[in-house]
Amino acid sequence: TTVILAAQIQEARISAEKKAEEKYIELTEPIKEKALSAIQKVGREKGFSVIIDSTNESVFLLNDSILTDLMDVVKEELGINN
């Protein structure tokens, strides 16, 4: 009946979404780990104690003129050309 078919469609959709999310995590986790490793390496080499992720909207900077942008150095470490 229509109710059973709707339930099966909903179940299939939920299953597909779960599989897609699992695949996304599987594919992006190694990239995140490699990026974090490069950020830590560059930070240590440059003598930083703290590195702030500027894409994080919960970080409030009162004076960003004293900051050093490490993006280009980290990209170089990862072999990414600008």
Side-chain angles (χ1 to χ4, degrees):
T1 68
T2 305
V3 174
I4 294 172
L5 183 58
Q8 289 173 337
I9 291 171
Q10 177 72 0
E11 186 178 310
R13 184 184 62 74
I14 291 170
S15 177
E17 287 175 357
K18 183 179 178 186
K19 287 179 184 178
E21 183 177 351
E22 290 170 352
K23 190 65 170 178
Y24 174 82
I25 291 169
E26 176 188 332
L27 294 174
T28 59
E29 198 59 36
I31 297 167
K32 288 179 186 179
E33 289 175 8
K34 187 174 180 180
L36 180 59
S37 177
I39 291 166
Q40 290 172 337
K41 180 179 179 191
V42 168
R44 278 191 219 99
E45 288 174 356
K46 300 287 182 183
F48 289 98
S49 299
V50 176
I51 297 176
I52 298 171
D53 179 354
S54 63
T55 62
N56 186 336
E57 295 178 8
S58 66
V59 174
F60 298 99
L61 302 175
L62 301 177
N63 183 1
D64 63 358
S65 67
I66 62 173
L67 299 179
T68 302
D69 188 349
L70 296 176
M71 182 62 76
D72 290 337
V73 181
V74 172
K75 284 181 176 180
E76 184 179 318
E77 176 67 31
L78 291 168
I80 299 172
N81 298 326
N82 290 336

